[in-house]
Amino acid sequence: MAADTAYHGEMGRQFALQATHSAYNAYTDRPAMLELAGEVNGLRVLDLGCGAGHYAADLLRKGARQVVGVEGSETLLRAARERLGDRAVLHQHDLEEPLSFLADQSFDLAVMALVYHHIDARAQLLAEVRRVLRPGGTLLVSTTHPTGDWTYFGGSYFAGERVELPFGDGYALSYWRMTLEQFLGELLGAGFVLEELREPRATPEARQVDVRRHDKTHQQPHFLAVRLRRP
């Protein structure tokens, strides 16, 4: 059985709050992903693992025609609904299962921000994303940096194991630690073409929130973000 990777209850509430203003989420990963997205005016966007709706809100602000969010946690979806109102279409759905409610070639852009490494059924998910993206469409994926994970957890860089990272008040984030070769290999093996790769560093605004974490992102890698094309 697949691991339950959604953030429910109090853990979900803490995650939604952290994602709003944290140095890592708000000022490192999100700016990098939005920059990789480029011009989104008039695009139909699929936000997979949309969380509390932060990325969806920014994409709509940048001119996306429609954002469809998919999230497994009702707690995070409530936060997303509060943030987005009726400006986005939101679905509660387990990303370990096929996206059967979405039509073929119906999106211009798909976003998976810091969710891919939580998923067990990644090959199935990538096949579904390829199905729902139009030819020439874009996929953005961010994940924990393989080197950052190795530095933090130690052991073999090639371990390829599920790990737990302490989070919030007594919780832990469970995700797959993977090598750069595995991460890119899965994406390219699913038929996507790599267009750009980033190792995001915190923006200057992060210094107002957390100087230590801002400086840390400029000294060692924390996230990896890629832009891919669906041929």
Side-chain angles (χ1 to χ4, degrees):
M1 180 179 291
D4 183 358
T5 54
Y7 303 159
H8 301 289
E10 179 58 26
M11 183 179 178
R13 285 187 285 274
Q14 289 188 27
F15 182 81
L17 184 62
Q18 176 173 296
T20 303
H21 296 300
S22 74
Y24 290 155
N25 293 87
Y27 298 116
T28 305
D29 182 72
R30 201 147 67 237
M33 288 287 273
L34 292 170
E35 189 173 327
L36 279 177
E39 178 58 64
V40 301
N41 194 54
L43 300 188
R44 191 162 190 255
V45 180
L46 176 62
D47 186 358
L48 292 164
C50 66
H54 295 90
Y55 294 80
D58 284 338
L59 289 163
L60 287 165
R61 241 186 325 267
K62 283 169 62 75
R65 174 168 59 90
Q66 183 185 47
V67 175
V68 175
V70 181
E71 171 58 51
S73 165
E74 175 58 33
T75 303
L76 289 175
L77 274 181
R78 279 199 301 271
R81 291 187 190 104
E82 290 173 7
R83 176 166 283 104
L84 300 166
D86 60 0
R87 295 183 297 144
V89 178
L90 301 175
H91 298 272
Q92 184 173 5
H93 179 76
D94 185 354
L95 291 180
E96 302 286 1
E97 301 297 329
L99 305 171
S100 52
F101 54 96
L102 299 176
D104 293 359
Q105 300 185 16
S106 54
F107 293 94
D108 306 294
L109 168 66
V111 177
M112 282 196 282
L114 299 179
V115 67
Y116 184 73
H117 50 288
H118 292 290
I119 304 299
D120 288 349
R122 295 188 300 277
Q124 174 183 267
L125 178 58
L126 289 175
E128 284 291 87
V129 173
R130 197 175 193 279
R131 176 182 66 79
V132 302
L133 274 177
R134 64 168 177 78
T138 298
L139 169 62
L140 305 181
V141 184
S142 61
T143 188
T144 59
H145 198 290
T147 302
D149 282 340
W150 184 32
T151 301
Y152 182 85
F153 292 106
S156 170
Y157 171 77
F158 300 99
E161 60 193 2
R162 254 198 188 275
V163 293
E164 291 196 348
L165 183 70
F167 167 78
D169 185 14
Y171 298 101
L173 307 180
S174 172
Y175 65 90
W176 285 101
R177 168 182 171 180
M178 62 185 82
T179 63
L180 178 62
E181 178 180 65
Q182 180 183 356
F183 174 65
L184 290 179
E186 289 179 1
L187 296 168
L188 300 179
F192 293 94
V193 177
L194 180 64
E195 292 190 330
E196 194 169 349
L197 182 149
R198 297 279 182 91
E199 295 172 305
R201 278 140 280 184
T203 62
E205 292 86 348
R207 291 187 62 83
Q208 309 303 315
V209 177
D210 192 323
V211 172
R212 182 183 68 84
R213 285 191 168 92
H214 168 276
D215 293 349
K216 197 173 179 182
T217 68
H218 287 262
Q219 296 164 356
Q220 62 189 67
H222 282 262
F223 301 123
L224 186 65
V226 292
R227 176 185 171 105
L228 305 113
R229 176 171 46 83
R230 184 246 200 255

